[in-house]
Amino acid sequence: MCDTIVVLREFTAENVTIFAKNSDREPNEAQIVEVIPRKRHSEEYVRCTYIEVPQVTETFAVLLSRPWWMWGAEMGVNEFGVAIGNEAVFTKLPYAKTGLTGMDLLRLGLERGKTAREALKIITGFLEEYGQGGNCSKSGKLYYHNSFIIADPSEAWVLETAGKHWVAQKVKDVRSISNALTIRVEWDEYGESLKEYHEAKGLSKGELDFAKHFSDFLYTTVSKGVERQKFT
């Protein structure tokens, strides 16, 4: 089980933002910790874990911790102090057999975003266009959706997803996530696909409890994300 936490700097003794994450990958699956320098690119596409997406002219320097066989990362920070961690979340929506893994989305956000807000827009843009999916286990089968904490030295966001649907909430002081959807009706931003979902069901903002509506009860209970979040 994994957990991610952020504390904004005005709530810390040293007046610095604190970001922390642990990782619950498979036994004996090595995680590579690597620094990738800022790079200029001439290629049109970049190959992620399962699919290709358009490349940009320049990607930023990043420090990543990633499963050895994946392009994406479990956690990382870039040269501008943007830090991101992701969590598996289990929802009622179907899991796609291919697409961008949550770890791919995390790396794309770090390589291209100078602030937490920019990284949020990059991740949600890729999510809406390409979707999330793909087997996240090298030795077996593991499919899930993702939640993220995206932080920089000045602000932080929680991003939670179910398929292509997403909601984001700006962190006010201290925030953590632990393998369970946590945002209910009090989100600050949400995606176009969720807006269309609202309209199809005749709902307005604030009438749909995101966590309650989309969480898979069995897997969310087994993962004990709600209990662990109370500790963090």
Side-chain angles (χ1 to χ4, degrees):
M1 303 297 105
C2 55
D3 315 273
T4 307
I5 186 170
V6 66
V7 187
L8 300 185
R9 64 184 181 185
E10 56 265 41
F11 297 93
T12 67
E14 299 296 328
N15 195 37
V16 293
T17 297
I18 296 173
F19 178 92
K21 173 176 162 60
N22 60 15
S23 178
D24 64 342
R25 300 295 304 173
E26 300 168 8
N28 300 318
E29 180 193 70
Q31 280 204 37
I32 298 171
V33 179
E34 61 183 343
V35 173
I36 301 173
R38 183 184 282 229
K39 291 183 180 180
R40 302 282 296 180
H41 301 276
S42 57
E43 66 272 19
E44 188 176 357
Y45 293 94
V46 56
R47 177 73 183 180
C48 300
T49 303
Y50 293 112
I51 67 171
E52 291 184 339
V53 298
Q55 183 61 285
V56 289
T57 304
E58 185 175 52
T59 52
F60 306 137
V62 293
L63 168 64
L64 303 175
S65 180
R66 65 177 180 86
W68 65 270
W69 60 277
M70 277 193 178
W71 182 84
E74 276 273 314
M75 62 192 95
V77 62
N78 71 16
E79 62 183 281
F80 299 100
V82 178
I84 310 177
N86 88 302
E87 305 285 327
V89 292
F90 303 97
T91 80
K92 297 174 184 176
L93 298 186
Y95 302 117
K97 297 301 182 183
T98 190
L100 292 167
T101 68
M103 285 161 276
D104 292 339
L105 292 167
L106 185 153
R107 179 170 173 176
L108 288 165
L110 289 176
E111 287 190 338
R112 304 180 185 203
K114 291 184 177 181
T115 65
R117 187 74 181 81
E118 282 188 10
L120 172 66
K121 291 182 68 176
I122 289 162
I123 290 172
T124 55
F126 276 111
L127 177 69
E128 291 188 331
E129 184 168 356
Y130 294 94
Q132 59 182 319
N135 186 9
C136 291
S137 171
K138 184 65 174 175
S139 60
K141 290 184 179 181
L142 181 61
Y143 295 87
Y144 50 77
H145 294 145
N146 292 268
S147 65
F148 306 83
I149 289 182
I150 306 167
D152 65 29
S154 299
E155 70 173 18
W157 290 81
V158 175
L159 169 64
E160 298 189 343
T161 74
K164 287 190 174 184
H165 301 326
W166 65 268
V167 291
Q169 186 180 57
K170 193 171 183 179
V171 176
K172 297 178 180 178
D173 40 43
V174 181
R175 195 70 158 80
S176 66
I177 53 176
S178 303
N179 297 121
L181 296 174
T182 63
I183 300 175
R184 301 179 71 88
V185 298
E186 67 283 7
W187 62 77
D188 295 304
E189 298 191 11
Y190 66 124
E192 189 63 31
S193 67
L194 187 60
K195 180 180 178 181
E196 294 171 358
Y197 186 85
H198 269 69
E199 292 173 350
K201 290 188 172 294
L203 300 170
S204 60
K205 184 180 183 295
E207 291 186 305
L208 187 144
D209 184 324
F210 190 84
K212 183 178 180 180
H213 187 79
F214 289 111
S215 291
D216 179 289
F217 176 78
L218 177 61
Y219 281 95
T220 299
T221 300
V222 170
S223 73
K224 297 188 181 296
V226 175
E227 289 85 348
R228 282 183 290 107
Q229 194 208 11
K230 291 177 182 177
F231 286 99
T232 56

